Amino acid sequence: MTEKIIVLSDIHANLSALEAVIADFESKGQIPDALAILGDNINYGMRPNEVILRLQQLSDRYPTVVNLFGNHEKALLDNDTSHFSTERGRQVLDYTRSILSDNSYCHIQNLNHSGICEIEINSQKILFLHGNIDDPYWGTINKDTVSDLRYSDYDYVISGHSHKPHLIEFYFNADCPRLRNKRKTVFLNPGSVGQPRNQNPRAQYLFLDLGENLISFNSASYNIRTEQDLYPDTIDAFYKERLLLGI
């Protein structure tokens, strides 16, 4: 029975951060029944091939029930950088494309390209997205958008993309006198494994135990310098410097 889930998002080719997360949840005894991976495994970081290979190995141990396309996988395969706000963003995607292995391309092509996945566990409906329900790739869920009635059928809505963890509870009107005519939806974002932007540089992820209704936001320290030293001079220093600040 699948009850315990590790949720990973926005790894962004940061192998050291991913390894730290794996070591962290295993050392804590938060052993999952399954993994949910919300996309953006690649780009910005320098080790996309190594990250993808590690995720493939990890899936042999922990079944991956959600494996989504993120906006960076979509931009890569579509060869479309029009959504990137800076020239440096377009340049680093070109670099990522230049170093991807055949195995990595094949892995990316086999992801869930919709950016959205609905599953049911223990009679609880869960919606997984990279972005939001209007734009599963580039959209963001926040306190101003959770009231959308399209989320009201779900017990949990779990998204990535913002690189900032959140837990938001919203109560929709419902015909349920026992619960005072309210239905709760819990919105979760695990934060980013490889490139957090909440001014906390630690690798961040989520452990969800649906049997115990336990939500655990976790973070793990890793050797940031190891990843920074991999950046060639041709890549804008912004991408390695932000790792140290979590921005």
Side-chain angles (χ1 to χ4, degrees), residues 41-67:
N41 300 324
I42 63 165
N43 210 28
Y44 292 153
M46 294 295 101
R47 297 203 272 184
N49 298 316
E50 293 87 343
V51 161
I52 288 172
L53 182 60
R54 190 68 176 99
L55 290 174
Q56 292 170 333
Q57 294 168 345
L58 200 61
S59 293
D60 291 336
R61 193 184 321 168
Y62 309 116
T64 302
V65 294
V66 176
N67 211 356

Side-chain angles (χ1 to χ4, degrees), residues 91-152:
Q91 290 174 344
V92 75
L93 185 66
D94 287 340
Y95 179 82
T96 294
R97 182 181 291 107
S98 75
I99 64 173
L100 278 183
S101 66
D102 290 342
N103 174 67
S104 295
Y105 268 111
C106 183
H107 179 86
I108 292 168
Q109 289 169 337
N110 287 328
L111 296 176
N112 179 339
H113 286 209
S114 69
I116 188 169
C117 178
E118 178 184 315
I119 64 175
E120 186 169 322
I121 299 174
N122 289 352
S123 300
Q124 297 183 86
K125 291 180 67 176
I126 309 173
L127 183 67
F128 292 90
L129 315 94
H130 182 73
N132 65 26
I133 205 163
D134 283 320
D135 187 342
Y137 309 110
W138 295 90
T140 301
I141 292 177
N142 55 49
K143 61 182 178 60
D144 297 320
T145 61
V146 296
S147 60
D148 191 313
L149 287 175
R150 289 174 291 178
Y151 296 125
S152 63

Side-chain angles (χ1 to χ4, degrees), residues 212-223:
E212 299 294 332
N213 290 318
L214 172 67
I215 300 168
S216 179
F217 288 90
N218 297 330
S219 62
S221 296
Y222 70 97
N223 190 332

Side-chain angles (χ1 to χ4, degrees), residues 15-244:
L15 182 65
S16 296
L18 176 59
E19 293 287 10
V21 162
I22 298 167
D24 191 66
F25 70 69
E26 290 184 338
S27 69
K28 289 177 175 176
Q30 293 181 338
I31 306 302
D33 302 313
L35 301 176
I37 303 173
L38 305 187
D40 280 4
N41 300 324
I42 63 165
N43 210 28
Y44 292 153
M46 294 295 101
R47 297 203 272 184
N49 298 316
E50 293 87 343
V51 161
I52 288 172
L53 182 60
R54 190 68 176 99
L55 290 174
Q56 292 170 333
Q57 294 168 345
L58 200 61
S59 293
D60 291 336
R61 193 184 321 168
Y62 309 116
T64 302
V65 294
V66 176
N67 211 356
L68 297 181
F69 226 38
N71 56 296
H72 285 261
E73 283 89 4
K74 180 172 175 57
L76 177 93
L77 290 192
D78 290 353
N79 197 24
D80 178 9
T81 57
S82 61
H83 286 83
F84 286 82
S85 60
T86 64
E87 181 59 31
R88 67 179 176 233
R90 289 182 277 273
Q91 290 174 344
V92 75
L93 185 66
D94 287 340
Y95 179 82
T96 294
R97 182 181 291 107
S98 75
I99 64 173
L100 278 183
S101 66
D102 290 342
N103 174 67
S104 295
Y105 268 111
C106 183
H107 179 86
I108 292 168
Q109 289 169 337
N110 287 328
L111 296 176
N112 179 339
H113 286 209
S114 69
I116 188 169
C117 178
E118 178 184 315
I119 64 175
E120 186 169 322
I121 299 174
N122 289 352
S123 300
Q124 297 183 86
K125 291 180 67 176
I126 309 173
L127 183 67
F128 292 90
L129 315 94
H130 182 73
N132 65 26
I133 205 163
D134 283 320
D135 187 342
Y137 309 110
W138 295 90
T140 301
I141 292 177
N142 55 49
K143 61 182 178 60
D144 297 320
T145 61
V146 296
S147 60
D148 191 313
L149 287 175
R150 289 174 291 178
Y151 296 125
S152 63
D153 288 338
Y154 300 100
D155 296 285
Y156 292 93
V157 175
I158 305 176
S159 62
H161 187 58
S162 71
H163 297 215
K164 297 175 182 177
H166 70 226
L167 187 161
I168 305 168
E169 295 181 344
F170 191 84
Y171 296 84
F172 291 95
N173 293 326
D175 183 13
C176 185
R178 186 173 66 89
L179 295 177
R180 304 188 70 174
N181 295 316
K182 295 292 182 181
R183 189 187 193 287
K184 182 173 73 170
T185 299
V186 180
F187 295 82
L188 300 171
N189 187 313
S192 171
V193 172
Q195 196 192 92
R197 295 180 187 168
N198 60 336
Q199 299 183 20
N200 175 1
R202 291 160 62 91
Q204 295 163 49
Y205 68 101
L206 178 69
F207 174 71
L208 181 62
D209 186 338
L210 295 168
E212 299 294 332
N213 290 318
L214 172 67
I215 300 168
S216 179
F217 288 90
N218 297 330
S219 62
S221 296
Y222 70 97
N223 190 332
I224 293 173
R225 180 63 66 186
T226 296
E227 294 300 313
Q228 288 182 314
D229 287 346
L230 297 172
Y231 283 76
D233 292 339
T234 53
I235 300 297
D236 195 303
F238 171 81
Y239 291 106
K240 66 178 181 182
E241 290 170 355
R242 75 186 313 178
L243 296 177
L244 200 59

